[in-house]
Structure formats: structure tokens, C-alpha cells
Amino acid sequence: EPEVTQTPSHQVTQMGQEVILRCVPISNHLYFYWYRQILGQKVEFLVSFYNNEISEKSEIFDDQFSVERPDGSNFTLKIRSTKLEDSAMYFCASSGSLEGPQHFGDGTRLSIL
Amino acid sequence: GESVGLHLPTLSVQEGDNSIINCAYSNSASDYFIWYKQESGKGPQFIIDIRSNMDKRQGQRVTVLLNKTVKHLSLQIAATQPGDSAVYFCAENNQAGTALIFGKGTTLSVSS
């Protein structure tokens, strides 16, 4: 069964450094998403992306965050200058349509020191 | 505002029992709901979804019920197995359909 893959599984970064989280969505999907989950809490929406532009973003997704689809298969989340409170699991998801379910990857654990 | 929540943070059942996990939502305009299962160290895994024009939908061993009158969603798992132990989240589409809003999750523990 096709799946969303994310790399790396764990990223440790010094505060203030830039980090790029990578995702390969399901190949025929057109809608892409990033969510985060702070330990023990619920999953929070960050951003959705369609047709090479952001469809919607939450208030968490401030100017330090950006997304990109650099080629036909990858979808990336960049945090420009990381803060301690950026430590969380970051999940990528994709869907074939707005009416269909979003399928999630297994996440990248981001630890900011 | 838009929010989704769950009634109970934990639920413990015996293997073979039926489990019912509940969720209350606040946005009466929501038209799409989805249940996810999250195992430790993994991402949310799609279980079943339902649109607001339906009251009930069945899958393999799972049933989702939607009561729009009281804005309540439930997930029923038949003959619960130890492999069903996980955190279960309900989620709804935001009004634009461009994001999922998750509830806080119910941890299901199945003992054999």
C-alpha cells in the first residue's frame, strides 16, 4: 500500500539553526500538509499546500516557517531559526482530494537544544 | 470557534469486548469527520471517515456513528484485540476543507 515517507526520523539541532524536514507524499496525491504534535498533546495543523502554493496556514506557521515542493516527489518544511518550543513531532500528510482522507507519515522528531 | 474534543482520555477493555470511543465537536457547519489510530512512535493511521449526509458507516470491525443533533461522533470497535491498543483521535475538516482539526485523543488499552 502506498505510504507517506518522512526523513529524518529524528533531527537534533541547536537553537537558532535552520532545519529542513523532508517528506515524500503518496505519488498521485495533489494536496500536502504539515502538522505538529508536541509530546502528549493533540495534533495541530500547520499548513496546507496545493498547486504549488499555500492554501491555508495556522497562526503557528509564522515567518520562520516555509514549505516547498522542489521537485515532483518531495515536499519540505523549513524552520529558519529554530526555538526551543519548536521541539515536537512533525507529520507530513497528503490526500488525493479535499473530500478524501489525509494519510500521514510516521513523522520526524525534532529536538532543539 | 472550531474545536473537536473527546469525552474520555483513557478507556480500558478486555480482549473480545466491544469498545466505544466518543467525540464531541463544536462546529455545526463541519461536513467531514475522520477517525485516526496512533500507535507509539507512529503517525496517525486512517481508520474510517464519514460525511455529514450520513449517520453511520461501517468498516472492518469498526463503525462510526454521527449524531448531528448533539454534535457527537463515536467509533465502535467490535471484538477488541490487543493490537487495537493505541491513541484514537477524531478530527474534522475546517470550513474551507483545507485542514484537519484534531481532538485530544483517547488512549485505548486492551488487556488479554
Side-chain angles (χ1 to χ4, degrees):
Chain A
E1 186 175 321
E3 58 183 26
V4 175
T5 57
Q6 292 185 244
T7 55
S9 57
H10 191 190
Q11 174 78 47
V12 182
T13 302
Q14 291 287 333
M15 185 173 60
Q17 295 296 305
E18 175 184 285
V19 65
I20 297 176
L21 309 183
R22 303 181 190 279
C23 170
V24 178
I26 294 173
S27 63
N28 61 346
H29 283 184
L30 301 175
Y31 297 83
F32 314 114
Y33 312 85
W34 284 101
Y35 292 81
R36 80 171 186 191
Q37 185 178 33
I38 295 171
L39 185 64
Q41 299 187 23
K42 63 182 179 180
V43 178
E44 299 175 289
F45 169 73
L46 293 178
V47 65
S48 56
F49 190 87
Y50 170 72
N51 199 26
N52 282 320
E53 60 184 29
I54 290 173
S55 306
E56 182 148 1
K57 58 184 180 179
S58 71
E59 56 192 32
I60 302 169
F61 194 88
D62 62 21
D63 291 344
Q64 295 300 311
F65 290 85
S66 62
V67 290
E68 190 179 26
R69 186 154 165 83
D71 53 44
S73 59
N74 289 283
F75 180 51
T76 62
L77 174 69
K78 181 194 291 187
I79 308 175
R80 207 176 338 271
S81 178
T82 50
K83 303 185 286 287
L84 291 175
E85 54 264 39
D86 293 327
S87 295
M89 285 291 291
Y90 287 79
F91 293 106
C92 173
S94 69
S95 64
S97 70
L98 285 178
E99 291 76 33
Q102 294 179 24
H103 295 272
F104 285 75
D106 282 338
T108 292
R109 180 182 302 280
L110 179 62
S111 300
I112 307 300
L113 305 180
Chain B
E2 298 173 294
S3 67
V4 177
L6 283 167
H7 291 297
L8 290 174
T10 60
L11 176 65
S12 297
V13 301
Q14 292 285 324
E15 181 178 1
D17 287 351
N18 296 331
S19 302
I20 300 175
I21 301 172
N22 295 304
C23 176
Y25 64 95
S26 60
N27 185 2
S28 57
S30 295
D31 64 357
Y32 178 71
F33 304 88
I34 190 165
W35 281 100
Y36 286 96
K37 171 187 180 183
Q38 187 178 28
E39 295 173 292
S40 181
K42 299 260 190 180
Q45 177 187 354
F46 168 74
I47 301 173
I48 192 167
D49 58 1
I50 189 168
R51 302 211 72 88
S52 59
N53 60 352
M54 301 174 70
D55 297 323
K56 178 180 179 179
R57 191 160 186 227
Q58 287 185 289
Q60 188 175 20
R61 281 201 307 119
V62 294
T63 301
V64 55
L65 298 176
L66 176 63
N67 185 330
K68 294 180 286 293
T69 303
V70 296
K71 292 185 284 189
H72 184 268
L73 190 70
S74 68
L75 176 71
Q76 299 178 358
I77 306 173
T80 315
Q81 302 167 0
D84 295 326
S85 295
V87 181
Y88 289 81
F89 293 94
C90 65
E92 62 179 322
N93 256 5
N94 66 350
Q95 290 187 324
T98 50
L100 287 176
I101 302 164
F102 280 77
K104 290 183 181 177
T106 290
T107 300
L108 176 66
S109 300
V110 183
S111 52
S112 49

